[in-house]
Amino acid sequence: PALPAPADLTPAISADDAIRVAVQAIAPGGTHRWPPSAELLIYPVMKTVRAASAANKPEEQLNALDVQEVVDRYALAYLVQLRMALNGKVIYYDVVVDARSGAIITQWPALKTVIGSGNSQYNGVVPISTSASAGGFQMLDSARGTGGQFGGMAITNANHSSPNNPNPGSIYTNSSNTWGDGKQYSGGSTTDANGQTAAVNALWGLMNTYDTNRNVLGWQSLDGNNTATYIAAHVGTAYDNAFYDDSCHCMYIGDGNSFYSLGAIDVIGHEMSHGVTASTADLIYAGESGGLNESNSDIGGEMVEAYARAGGTGAVVPASGNDWMMGTEISKSGEPLRWMYKPHKDGSSPDAWSTSLKNLDVHYSSGPNNRMFYFLSQGSKADPASDYYSAFLTRAPAAMTGIGNDKAYRIWFKALTTKFTSATNYADARNKVLQAAQELYGASSKEAIAVQRAYAAINVGADVDEEGGDGGGGGGGGGGGDAVEQVRNGGFESGATGWSGSIGVITANSAQAPYEGTRYAWLGGNGRRSTETLTQQVQIPATASSAQLSFALHIDTAETKSTVYDTMTVTVVPAGGSGATATLATYTNLTPAAGYQLRSFDLLPYKGQTVTLSFAMREDRSKQTSFVLDKVSLLTK
């Protein structure tokens, strides 16, 4: 049975009290870079339980699919978001504070660290996309991205602004369109040729990150909506860090002290990939989900490196060109920050999943998934003495076959952006990456089999022979077999069949395009105060091992200000008052998209229940926003 929500939904402490508790715990002497916030919510407190089949297994023999994170209880709590600075360091934390007792339930860091001619520090002379200005040229790339703080992709000069509260400064300018001297910053002027080199590094890295995802995957900028971002160079003095800040959707790069300048191509690809995660799965930056967050950025860094090294053009990620090591170029010792093919070479990152993985720093808990991706792309070796060997691969052949960078990245990116949720752990990632491979290449394809073997190689799921896999997306968790569609008429081709509420929004009007077929649901677009809702009741079987809600959504708007005026909220409402209404997502006039975006949510916590799916639109008194919905699906296994 579903656990009940807290009986008393009246907080005993205020939002300001919760913020004070969080500040006292995280940085009592800090200052706020951005105003703190506290959102009241029903928070699921989780616990780890073993599957019945693994009840008596020794701890060291457990596989990731032998355990499951389940809700232990629900707590009335505040999610406090702190964006602070202290002693020259940016301190960003999300803190969950019990709204009844004032105790901290959990916390996690929210800061994700580490055709002019440019003389770059690491890549020789590189082409960089600049713009003409009144006095010459500026590092504003208007060909990539729109809007944002500077109206296009930009590189700015932080000019040693304190990391405690960095100011991005203004866009780099130069009298000629030849930039930099290709040398490590010496500590002098940030605007002469030597000072420009860090900006050259940044712009080349930003261009190639954008082009990799756009040209290969059709994903524009960080958010998929082509919103421009920027990188600020020369933050701090001899600052040994580079970080992505989701508050501004931007990146700051230090000049290094123990390191060389932190603008290497894989570092920029890494940090910018945090922006993709923040715009999609928004993986919580703690435990296994935090490790996957970091791993996605390492994967992105390596794929951007491969793309850039081959000239930064084309519709595929090249088969080679990256070194499978993070941060080699910025290292003064020559030792990288991380080895993706053999994580424990750094002395702290494990090579495989274990029950203690969730207790590690996220830069270490990323290790097993990094190794999985290496095996998925490049394959493994059968020699136990090799760095590329896994003892968990027990089926034939002993050395698994990789599928190459391009296919591996497409599969991973699809899972991240359309299937992962904020709480996805290693077992859930395995299942969803497998689903992505099956959707892209077929249920029994060599690509799907490679996913199963690559995850088995890190102790997540069972190994399979390469001539045949398990064919199912659930893997090892019971309840395999074919997926069953629980939504009736999710493509709206049968008109209002199966749907309740504002059924007049279901249309074949040529003013909007369907995702597929001829009909869709057009919520909003009225340009006046209005509310419209579409609902459908569905049942999630008690025997389900997966329950994936997905839909295609297009948003366009006439609103021009950066204020939320119009919204569409997606919720799940348990039948009969058996649990609290859960908000899956809220979309607004601030997130328009040129085409449809596929959205995906895990509804397995509702197995055994009948729930109502609700899409509710509210529009203000003027200027339309259209939320165009199609292909609503709830697949269960």
Side-chain angles (χ1 to χ4, degrees):
L3 293 169
D8 189 347
L9 297 180
T10 304
I13 65 171
S14 68
D16 287 343
D17 291 334
I19 290 172
R20 280 190 287 270
V21 167
V23 169
Q24 188 62 34
I26 300 301
T31 57
H32 295 289
R33 287 201 66 218
W34 307 94
S37 64
E39 176 187 1
L40 191 64
L41 45 72
I42 305 297
Y43 186 79
V45 180
M46 310 299 289
K47 66 178 179 180
T48 302
V49 298
R50 293 189 180 204
S53 59
N56 298 315
K57 263 191 180 183
E59 181 82 10
E60 64 274 9
Q61 294 180 16
L62 288 175
N63 182 281
L65 301 191
D66 288 333
V67 297
Q68 185 180 9
E69 293 291 308
V70 300
V71 178
D72 184 37
R73 63 184 176 89
Y74 289 100
L76 183 67
Y78 288 101
L79 172 61
V80 179
Q81 295 186 314
L82 300 179
R83 305 297 183 257
M84 305 179 71
L86 179 66
N87 298 329
K89 294 182 179 179
V90 179
I91 301 173
Y92 285 17
Y93 262 81
D94 291 344
V95 185
V96 180
V97 179
D98 192 299
R100 302 292 300 166
S101 68
I104 291 178
I105 297 174
T106 188
Q107 62 190 47
W108 57 85
L111 185 68
K112 286 74 174 182
T113 63
V114 209
I115 304 278
S117 178
N119 295 295
S120 76
Q121 184 170 344
Y122 303 115
N123 306 284
V125 178
V126 295
I128 53 175
S129 180
T130 60
S131 301
S133 64
F137 301 89
Q138 58 180 338
M139 283 194 173
L140 177 66
D141 181 1
S142 57
R144 293 170 175 84
T146 59
Q149 184 164 338
F150 297 101
M153 298 294 191
I155 308 301
T156 66
N157 183 9
N159 199 27
H160 306 308
S161 173
S162 169
N164 196 56
N165 190 22
N167 184 330
S170 57
I171 298 175
Y172 259 93
T173 61
N174 198 31
S175 58
S176 76
N177 210 12
T178 298
W179 306 73
D181 65 359
K183 299 177 182 178
Q184 168 66 19
Y185 177 62
S186 64
S189 168
T190 57
T191 58
D192 66 9
N194 181 242
Q196 293 168 4
T197 300
V200 172
N201 298 338
L203 183 52
W204 190 69
L206 182 57
M207 289 165 53
N208 277 284
T209 300
Y210 180 94
D211 287 353
T212 301
N213 290 336
R214 178 190 62 182
N215 297 346
V216 175
L217 303 164
W219 185 268
Q220 298 189 87
S221 195
L222 306 183
D223 59 1
N225 295 326
N226 207 33
T227 305
T229 184
Y230 65 88
I231 298 178
H234 296 298
V235 64
T237 301
Y239 184 54
D240 269 330
N241 201 4
F243 62 88
Y244 173 78
D245 185 344
D246 198 47
S247 300
C248 58
H249 309 291
C250 67
M251 180 180 175
Y252 290 91
I253 295 178
D255 295 317
N257 181 25
S258 300
F259 295 104
Y260 295 119
S261 174
L262 283 95
I265 185 67
D266 57 353
V267 175
I268 292 176
H270 173 105
E271 298 302 338
M272 292 286 100
S273 293
H274 278 305
V276 177
T277 303
S279 299
T280 55
D282 199 19
L283 289 157
I284 294 171
Y285 206 54
E288 291 190 23
S289 61
L292 294 171
N293 190 317
E294 270 298 309
S295 178
N296 173 67
S297 284
D298 282 354
I299 290 167
E302 288 300 298
M303 296 301 95
V304 169
E305 181 178 22
Y307 193 79
R309 299 281 188 231
T313 61
V316 299
V317 178
S320 61
N322 60 302
D323 61 6
W324 298 103
M325 295 180 287
M326 284 300 302
T328 307
E329 290 174 318
I330 67 172
S331 172
K332 289 186 174 180
S333 69
E335 293 255 307
L337 299 174
R338 287 181 292 283
W339 287 261
M340 294 186 72
Y341 57 87
K342 188 69 171 177
H344 91 236
K345 287 171 75 74
D346 67 11
S348 300
S349 301
D351 290 338
W353 179 92
S354 71
T355 54
S356 62
L357 189 67
K358 64 184 178 183
N359 301 321
L360 297 179
D361 179 275
V362 295
H363 295 88
Y364 303 142
S365 59
S366 62
N369 198 74
N370 280 352
R371 194 171 208 226
M372 179 286 301
F373 189 82
Y374 175 85
F375 286 149
L376 181 61
S377 173
Q378 301 295 300
S380 69
K381 303 293 186 185
D383 179 4
S386 169
D387 283 344
Y388 309 95
Y389 169 79
S390 170
F392 295 103
L393 290 175
T394 58
R395 305 296 286 270
M400 72 162 284
T401 305
I403 59 175
N405 282 344
D406 186 69
K407 288 183 176 179
Y409 192 42
R410 290 178 191 277
I411 291 168
W412 172 260
F413 198 88
K414 180 179 178 68
L416 171 83
T417 57
T418 68
K419 300 183 183 300
F420 283 12
T421 67
S422 60
T424 287
N425 61 11
Y426 268 69
D428 189 42
R430 183 263 188 194
N431 292 343
K432 288 173 177 173
V433 173
L434 177 54
Q435 290 171 16
Q438 291 171 328
E439 291 172 10
L440 285 171
Y441 300 108
S444 301
S445 62
K446 66 179 182 180
E447 293 81 6
I449 293 168
V451 167
Q452 295 170 67
R453 299 210 75 192
Y455 269 106
I458 62 165
N459 197 31
V460 182
D463 194 16
V464 296
D465 293 324
E466 286 196 7
E467 60 267 24
D470 66 19
D482 294 334
V484 177
E485 178 61 76
Q486 304 295 341
V487 170
R488 294 181 64 199
N489 187 29
F492 306 106
E493 296 305 304
S494 299
T497 301
W499 295 96
S500 300
S502 309
I503 56 176
V505 302
I506 299 172
T507 180
N509 191 320
S510 60
Q512 293 280 359
Y515 178 77
E516 60 184 22
T518 58
R519 293 178 184 268
Y520 56 87
W522 186 353
L523 294 97
N526 303 299
R528 55 180 170 76
R529 196 180 303 278
S530 57
T531 60
E532 294 166 345
T533 303
L534 274 182
T535 65
Q536 183 170 150
Q537 193 172 81
V538 296
Q539 187 172 30
I540 302 176
T543 57
S545 61
S546 67
Q548 197 73 21
L549 172 67
S550 62
F551 53 85
L553 179 65
H554 162 66
I555 304 172
D556 63 68
T557 184
E559 301 286 3
T560 56
K561 296 182 179 179
S562 57
T563 302
V564 173
Y565 294 112
D566 311 314
T567 63
M568 188 186 80
T569 303
V570 185
T571 57
V572 176
V573 185
S578 59
T581 296
T583 299
L584 301 180
T586 299
Y587 304 100
T588 76
N589 54 280
L590 299 184
T591 56
Y596 280 91
Q597 302 289 319
L598 293 176
R599 307 298 184 184
S600 182
F601 303 89
D602 183 12
L603 298 192
L604 191 60
Y606 296 93
K607 71 177 181 179
Q609 298 185 52
T610 298
V611 300
T612 296
L613 305 176
S614 172
F615 300 88
M617 184 283 307
R618 296 178 65 89
E619 202 171 11
D620 77 340
R621 65 180 182 275
S622 66
K623 293 187 178 179
Q624 72 87 23
T625 300
S626 297
F627 301 91
V628 187
L629 182 69
D630 204 351
K631 200 180 181 183
V632 182
S633 172
L634 175 59
L635 291 175
T636 62
K637 287 191 177 183

